[in-house]
Amino acid sequence: MFDIIKSGGWLMLPLILCSIIATAIIVERFWTLQKSKVLPQDLVTQVWRLARDKKLDDTILRRLKNSSSLGFILSAGLANSQYGRDVMKESIEEAGRQVVHELERFLNALGTIASITPLLGLLGTVVGMIQAFNAIVDQGVGDPAVLAGGISVALITTAAGLTVAIPSLIFHRYFERLVDEYVVYMEAEALKLIDILHGDREAIE
């Protein structure tokens, strides 16, 4: 493996760095975007029961805010529930934008890696071909070994770039889709709570 990396030339260093960063982002996002962490089950039901029993004090709201992404959005609305439906909805929308920003953390970096690693591989191809043609100019085409160095750089860096880019792109698209699904669900749950608190929907038991 080390010989292959060495044969790829200096462009293998940024490709290896990109692969390490991409792997770290993917692992971190899988851990952070667990459904149980973002959307705890039956949270709206629990919040409604606390609101019905007049138990939503500052301590409970603070705990709810720090519990999950959905809890952060619900707590923003509940903290402003006394100002009416419109203010409550605006507060939830503002909190939602903060949550989306947090859920999409590092995804731009992952998308950038998916975009630049094939270009780095292509650059390696160009560098390898330049080396091969220089070898031809200097020593002719009689000895195939003369061309081996340039050709190996061209092929290895291209393969390495695609090897990093393909999974990075797949996971970038997957996480973007997952965040979109979470956001739609959180909006629906927050609106459900608003309707319940203002009597526009039957309470959850």
Side-chain angles (χ1 to χ4, degrees):
M1 178 63 73
F2 179 76
D3 290 337
I4 294 175
I5 293 173
K6 186 177 179 181
S7 298
W10 63 270
L11 277 168
M12 290 297 291
L13 294 177
L15 287 170
I16 291 171
L17 180 61
C18 285
S19 70
I20 293 171
I21 294 172
T23 301
I25 292 173
I26 291 167
V27 171
E28 190 276 339
R29 287 293 87 188
F30 264 119
W31 175 258
T32 302
L33 295 178
Q34 294 179 70
K35 190 172 183 178
S36 59
K37 291 177 177 289
V38 180
L39 308 172
Q41 192 173 7
D42 299 327
L43 183 61
V44 174
T45 303
Q46 297 171 19
V47 170
W48 157 244
R49 288 173 180 166
L50 290 170
R52 180 191 61 189
D53 298 337
K54 310 292 184 183
K55 294 182 179 179
L56 284 176
D57 54 20
D58 291 340
T59 302
I60 296 295
L61 286 177
R62 195 177 304 112
R63 191 179 306 158
L64 177 65
K65 179 179 180 179
N66 296 325
S67 65
S68 63
S69 299
L70 178 58
F72 183 86
I73 290 176
L74 297 179
S75 66
L78 291 168
N80 295 279
S81 59
Q82 69 271 24
Y83 300 115
R85 179 189 178 95
D86 291 340
V87 174
M88 189 177 180
K89 189 174 180 179
E90 288 177 6
S91 300
I92 285 174
E93 289 174 351
E94 290 175 4
R97 285 191 286 270
Q98 296 181 46
V99 166
V100 170
H101 179 73
E102 184 64 25
L103 294 179
E104 291 181 342
R105 179 194 253 181
F106 304 131
L107 292 189
N108 280 340
L110 187 61
T112 301
I113 289 172
S115 299
I116 67 171
T117 46
L119 298 178
L120 288 172
L122 180 59
L123 178 59
T125 301
V126 174
V127 171
M129 295 309 296
I130 290 172
Q131 291 177 359
F133 282 117
N134 285 339
I136 291 174
V137 171
D138 292 339
Q139 303 183 38
V141 294
D143 186 4
V146 172
L147 304 177
I151 294 174
S152 66
V153 170
L155 296 178
I156 291 171
T157 55
T158 301
L162 293 175
T163 300
V164 177
I166 291 171
S168 297
L169 180 60
I170 290 171
F171 283 110
H172 179 259
R173 296 285 177 86
Y174 169 75
F175 289 132
E176 279 194 331
R177 177 64 180 172
L178 188 63
V179 169
D180 288 342
E181 290 178 359
Y182 284 166
V183 169
V184 170
Y185 181 85
M186 286 188 286
E187 287 178 353
E189 292 296 287
L191 291 175
K192 183 192 299 184
L193 181 63
I194 292 174
D195 290 342
I196 291 171
L197 292 176
H198 289 86
D200 298 327
R201 187 192 293 244
E202 291 186 6
I204 306 170
E205 296 298 339

